[in-house]
Amino acid sequence: MKLTQLLPLLALMLASPVSAQTPAAEPEKPESKVILTPAQTEHILKELEKVEAQIGKGRGSVFGAAMAKFREGMASPAAALALYLDCYKLEHFDRKNLKQTDFMDWRNRNEASLKDDDFKHALWLQLEYLVLTIQAQEIDEPKKMAPIVTSVQAFLAKAITAVQGATTHSASGAVTDKDAKGGGQGGGGGGRRGGGGGNVPAGDIMGTLRQSVASSEFAKAYSLEDFLKRKEWEYQPLNVRGIYSNIVFPYYLAEKPTDLPAQWDSRMNAEVAMQKAIKSETEFNEFFKDAGPRMIWEKNNYLVQNNVTPVIALADMLKVIQTYPSHPDALSWLKEFRELVKEVSEPAAETAPVEKPVGTQ
């Protein structure tokens, strides 16, 4: 066979397997796009409004029923304990179909723990913060947060005072529980269900107020966990940083930015007071050596980033670097400060080229 006759046949043989293996191209599917008429859109939006109203009504009824009982419990530490026992019984005995005698046995086993004044005071404070948490859930504008912010700061002062009152510092600087009860009292056969635990001097106050109020016995008994969803909030009553970062600072940044430096000082004072209450003198001095400059840096960095008295804040940041060159964060501060100065500095003016007189070289 001549080469001229072989080439077409060879081409056909090589092409056949390929064409057999190549799937046929699927036809392109037309894009599906739903087009609603104005009437249909209006109808759907009206239905959504109805659903939203029903959701709000259901949420409101849940909160309303809980708030009525919680306000009764806020009357005194004794009232808070009585409500706690009711809630504990409902959650851990009634809903599990256990007998009344089972609850009474539990209560008798934990009688000493339940009578403790610190524990009752902790429950009282926890209940107060839970009420504030519920009130904050429905607020959708920063300016409406003013009374909540004021109440939260007043609460935090009371909570820190309670922690201070539950501890005592010996002449040597050691910290002990005021009643010498050996610290963490979260046990007792389940009597202290306020949470926290751990070997801390103010076991009842610290343990209970370090727990999220959304998972407290009060919230569980009234099925509030799934309704407490506000993001700009702190759910642990004794979390100083969280309270200021999520509640206090956002309000002041939106409504009263010039007051932010003073609010930062309040946060730092609260943190220092808390640490001084729960640490020995030696431990506190070690803590403050690093934490003190770090808090000042954090404050002024926040002010610069949010354009609140930025020149003063930058000067204070520079002073921190100059005053504490041996601080563990000194190098990172120096690097961060240089970058920050570049960001906030005006660009250097470009120098115009000098024109030579005509005829010169």
Side-chain angles (χ1 to χ4, degrees):
M1 182 179 291
K2 295 182 179 180
L3 182 60
T4 54
Q5 295 174 323
L6 181 61
L7 288 176
L9 180 60
L10 184 60
L12 180 62
M13 292 173 63
L14 292 174
S16 297
V18 175
S19 60
Q21 294 176 7
T22 303
E26 295 183 3
E28 293 185 2
K29 295 181 180 179
E31 293 185 7
S32 58
K33 188 175 182 181
V34 178
I35 304 296
L36 297 177
T37 65
Q40 290 171 327
T41 301
E42 183 180 1
H43 173 73
I44 290 174
L45 292 177
K46 284 182 178 179
E47 292 300 314
L48 289 177
E49 287 179 4
K50 292 178 184 177
V51 174
E52 186 177 12
Q54 292 174 350
I55 293 173
K57 186 177 180 181
R59 179 188 179 101
S61 63
V62 170
F63 283 154
M67 288 286 279
K69 283 293 184 182
F70 293 170
R71 292 189 187 282
E72 292 178 10
M74 288 173 61
S76 67
L81 175 63
L83 179 60
Y84 169 84
L85 290 173
D86 289 343
C87 291
Y88 193 91
K89 179 176 180 292
L90 175 63
E91 178 69 14
H92 297 278
F93 292 88
D94 295 346
R95 287 175 177 168
K96 295 179 180 180
N97 295 320
L98 298 177
K99 300 176 182 178
Q100 173 71 13
T101 53
D102 294 329
F103 170 70
M104 296 305 299
D105 288 343
W106 169 85
R107 181 169 178 171
N108 291 335
R109 289 196 309 272
N110 296 284
E111 183 177 7
S113 298
L114 294 170
K115 286 183 177 180
D116 180 73
D117 288 337
D118 281 347
F119 183 56
K120 288 186 283 188
H121 195 185
L123 292 175
W124 187 44
L125 289 169
Q126 186 185 62
L127 195 55
E128 179 182 349
Y129 195 78
L130 177 55
V131 168
L132 291 172
T133 299
I134 293 172
Q135 291 173 337
Q137 300 301 307
E138 304 297 333
I139 298 177
D140 55 0
E141 296 179 31
K143 63 182 179 181
K144 295 180 181 178
M145 283 291 291
I148 297 293
V149 169
T150 301
S151 297
V152 164
Q153 289 184 284
F155 164 85
L156 190 56
K158 285 193 294 184
I160 293 174
T161 299
V163 172
Q164 292 170 333
T167 57
T168 182
H169 293 69
S170 67
S172 62
V175 182
T176 57
D177 186 278
K178 66 178 182 180
D179 296 323
K181 292 176 289 191
Q185 298 169 38
R192 304 279 173 98
R193 300 289 297 191
N199 187 23
V200 293
D204 294 321
I205 299 290
M206 293 287 288
T208 301
L209 298 186
R210 278 177 169 169
Q211 180 193 20
S212 168
V213 291
S215 60
S216 64
E217 296 297 342
F218 301 117
K220 287 190 291 187
Y222 285 87
S223 304
L224 300 182
E225 302 102 308
D226 293 334
F227 291 92
L228 301 176
K229 297 296 184 183
R230 183 183 177 91
K231 292 183 178 179
E232 281 195 347
W233 189 258
E234 174 54 52
Y235 290 86
Q236 295 182 22
L238 213 53
N239 188 340
V240 176
R241 282 178 166 261
I243 285 174
Y244 274 89
S245 297
N246 298 319
I247 303 173
V248 179
F249 292 159
Y251 165 74
Y252 277 94
L253 185 61
E255 300 297 322
K256 300 178 181 181
T258 55
D259 290 349
L260 275 168
Q263 292 303 319
W264 263 94
D265 290 341
S266 295
R267 169 183 149 172
M268 291 190 294
N269 290 336
E271 286 191 86
V272 169
M274 176 69 69
Q275 294 299 321
K276 201 164 188 176
I278 64 175
K279 294 182 183 298
S280 69
E281 185 176 348
T282 301
E283 289 173 328
F284 174 76
N285 290 336
E286 190 66 24
F287 156 81
F288 191 73
K289 182 176 67 174
D290 288 342
R294 195 172 285 132
M295 286 190 286
I296 298 172
W297 178 271
E298 189 178 359
K299 165 192 171 180
N300 289 288
N301 192 22
Y302 177 95
L303 296 177
V304 172
Q305 297 294 343
N306 290 282
N307 199 30
V308 179
T309 61
V311 176
I312 296 174
L314 281 169
D316 287 341
M317 292 174 78
L318 178 58
K319 187 176 180 180
V320 170
I321 298 174
Q322 293 171 329
T323 307
Y324 304 100
S326 300
H327 192 279
D329 296 342
L331 283 176
S332 61
W333 287 343
L334 186 61
K335 181 179 179 180
E336 184 179 351
F337 190 70
R338 278 178 174 154
E339 293 299 320
L340 194 55
V341 169
K342 290 179 184 178
E343 289 176 14
V344 300
S345 297
E346 293 181 358
E350 294 183 3
T351 305
V354 179
E355 296 184 5
K356 295 182 179 180
V358 176
T360 62
Q361 293 184 356

